Amino acid sequence: MKKYTIAIEETVVREFEVYAGNSEEAMKIAEKKYRNGEFILDPGEVQFTQMCILKPASEVTEWSEF
């Protein structure tokens, strides 16, 4: 038996409402709220899941959706 290191990545989506004067301001507000922990994605809706083998180096794979 060999030891493998597997990476799994999920894209999680959750919608938030922001009031702003324009789209640039809305994006800045949303980023600030996310970084301050006001917008939290968990739990959210998983939109995309993929995985790949990272180790051993001789068996590294491309990302594959599952």
Side-chain angles (χ1 to χ4, degrees):
M1 299 289 265
K2 285 197 246 182
K3 180 173 130 181
Y4 291 87
T5 302
I6 307 291
I8 298 176
E9 179 180 274
E10 292 179 334
T11 301
V12 178
V13 176
R14 185 168 177 197
E15 295 180 3
F16 301 93
E17 291 184 350
V18 174
Y19 293 93
N22 58 51
S23 60
E24 185 178 325
E25 181 185 6
M27 294 290 278
K28 286 180 183 179
I29 291 169
E31 181 178 351
K32 183 177 179 182
K33 287 181 178 281
Y34 176 79
R35 292 190 186 280
N36 289 337
E38 295 177 57
F39 286 175
I40 299 172
L41 297 178
D42 187 36
E45 183 178 333
V46 176
Q47 296 289 313
F48 182 78
T49 309
Q50 62 182 1
M51 75 170 128
C52 71
I53 294 175
L54 299 175
K55 293 178 185 174
S58 62
E59 296 189 48
V60 170
T61 63
E62 296 289 323
W63 288 97
S64 61
E65 187 175 354
F66 70 99

